[in-house]
Amino acid sequence: MPTLFAVLLTKVKRSQIVTLLVASITCLVIGAIAFALTQHVSVGIGLYWAVTTATTVGYGDVTPHNTVGRVIAILVMVTTIPLFGAAFAFLAASLTATRLAKLLHMREGPPKGSFVAIYGMHDAVRKIASEVAATGERVVVVAESNLESLPATIETIKGDPTLETVLRRSEPERASRLLIAVEDEKDALLIAVMLRHLAPAVPLIAVANSSRIATALTDLGVETTVSIEDLLGHTLAKSIETPHAGDLLLEMVRSPEMMFREYPAEPGVIGRTLSQARSIEQGLLLGVVKQGQIHMGVSTDPVIESGDTILVLRPRPQESKR
């Protein structure tokens, strides 16, 4: 219930409060001038009367003396009192929502500086967010529900990631990487289209439940798509063939001592074969990416060219270990 309360309050816009205050003051000034003219007093006294009336103080030292004055008094009371009340109620709600958002680890927008944005609450998001945060990256998860299950170190934006207004609030163009991790396949496709439009230069990764959706996401411009179905199926198949294959893969990805790195081929390895580059690379050179295809150099020994990408497994720097 507190979370729902905070979400409802955060929808109060600053422009609404300003509009109410401007309307209140306008009615107050018009009432003061009208009172001064009809009751034959100065504008200062008319303004004094209007303020004491609108704030329901009503000292009674200045009162209307004819029917016109009483009508003006009625109009001031039925307009300015509700308007001021609504404006201050919205202001109090906004301040309360801001305070609750801090207590509940909610945010209006993404953090300053570089961050990784994750859209959706796939079953794997909690683990993914925690692992990425453990490397020192700032992580923001954008989802409609279950955000309270995330660790306090993960920053969140509550909202439906299939809505463009919510995506814009997350400022994807400022992120270092974007990850789509929703359960619904149609939602994944929709979010991918909008993110490619909002942040065309930011690397986009997606988690897919099937290879069919993984292919569709790739066609939409998603650079990397991980199919849970394929990943799990192939890993289990390799484990059946070689019992420790699954353990090896798991150790590579979960070890706090190691980290994967992907970077453009440097001049020192360009023109060399993959096997030659492995002899000079610091770390375990896993393969080379050529035009989106990964070559591990098992059946062939490809030559590394300019524009290729290198995949390396390296020891994590001492200061970054957790």
Side-chain angles (χ1 to χ4, degrees):
M1 181 61 75
T3 302
L4 175 62
F5 179 61
V7 172
L8 292 173
L9 291 181
T10 53
K11 292 184 178 180
V12 176
K13 296 181 179 179
R14 184 178 300 176
S15 59
Q16 294 174 317
I17 299 175
V18 172
T19 300
L20 286 170
L21 285 174
V22 169
S24 303
I25 294 172
T26 300
C27 291
L28 187 73
V29 171
I30 292 174
I33 294 174
F35 185 85
L37 293 175
T38 58
Q39 304 305 302
H40 308 293
V41 296
S42 66
V43 174
I45 293 177
L47 186 60
Y48 166 77
W49 167 84
V51 171
T52 57
T53 301
T55 56
T56 69
V57 174
Y59 289 117
D61 53 342
V62 180
T63 58
H65 298 293
N66 52 39
T67 302
V68 176
R70 295 185 183 93
V71 170
I72 293 173
I74 292 172
L75 292 175
V76 169
M77 286 185 280
V78 299
T79 55
T80 56
I81 293 176
L83 286 172
F84 272 120
F88 287 113
F90 278 177
L91 180 61
S94 180
L95 293 174
T96 302
T98 301
R99 179 59 180 168
L100 283 175
K102 292 180 180 179
L103 293 175
L104 298 170
H105 306 291
M106 296 166 55
R107 293 186 61 88
E108 288 282 352
K112 295 180 180 179
S114 178
F115 62 94
V116 175
I118 301 177
Y119 299 91
M121 275 301 291
H122 189 281
D123 290 340
V125 164
R126 179 182 173 86
K127 185 65 174 177
I128 294 171
S130 299
E131 291 286 339
V132 174
T135 66
E137 293 261 22
R138 299 188 71 176
V139 180
V140 177
V141 176
V142 182
E144 200 168 13
S145 59
N146 298 327
L147 293 174
E148 63 278 0
S149 66
L150 295 170
T153 54
I154 308 300
E155 300 179 68
T156 61
I157 297 177
K158 191 174 182 67
D160 184 353
T162 63
L163 299 178
E164 185 175 348
T165 52
V166 175
L167 294 184
R168 288 186 181 278
R169 274 173 50 203
S170 69
E171 300 180 33
E173 70 281 359
R174 293 205 299 109
S176 59
R177 280 159 293 164
L178 306 170
L179 172 64
I180 302 172
V182 292
E183 296 284 355
D184 190 278
E185 297 177 342
K186 297 186 294 295
D187 289 349
L189 296 173
L190 178 60
I191 296 171
V193 171
M194 290 190 290
L195 286 178
R196 277 297 67 155
H197 171 69
L198 296 173
V202 181
L204 179 57
I205 307 165
V207 175
N209 290 325
S210 66
S211 56
R212 178 174 59 86
I213 293 300
T215 302
L217 288 167
T218 301
D219 293 340
L220 288 174
V222 178
E223 286 87 345
T224 305
T225 305
V226 179
S227 168
I228 301 295
E229 180 183 83
D230 285 348
L231 185 62
L232 180 60
H234 289 306
T235 301
L236 290 175
K238 294 299 181 185
S239 296
I240 293 173
E241 295 175 4
T242 308
H244 290 93
D247 293 335
L248 174 62
L249 293 174
L250 190 58
E251 182 62 24
M252 290 173 63
V253 297
R254 75 178 180 183
S255 173
E257 305 295 324
M258 305 300 293
M259 64 179 182
F260 285 96
R261 283 294 178 263
E262 180 176 342
Y263 58 88
E266 299 175 344
V269 298
I270 293 176
R272 297 177 183 268
T273 63
L274 186 56
S275 60
Q276 292 172 337
R278 280 178 170 142
S279 65
I280 62 174
E281 175 62 43
Q282 294 181 351
L284 178 59
L285 179 52
L286 300 174
V288 58
V289 182
K290 289 178 169 290
Q291 298 178 347
Q293 297 295 319
I294 298 177
H295 301 270
M296 299 178 64
V298 177
S299 58
T300 60
D301 194 11
V303 175
I304 300 174
E305 302 172 334
S306 178
D308 291 348
T309 301
I310 303 298
L311 296 172
V312 181
L313 182 64
R314 288 178 172 172
R316 191 179 301 280
Q318 191 66 34
E319 63 273 12
S320 299
K321 293 179 182 179
R322 299 294 176 104

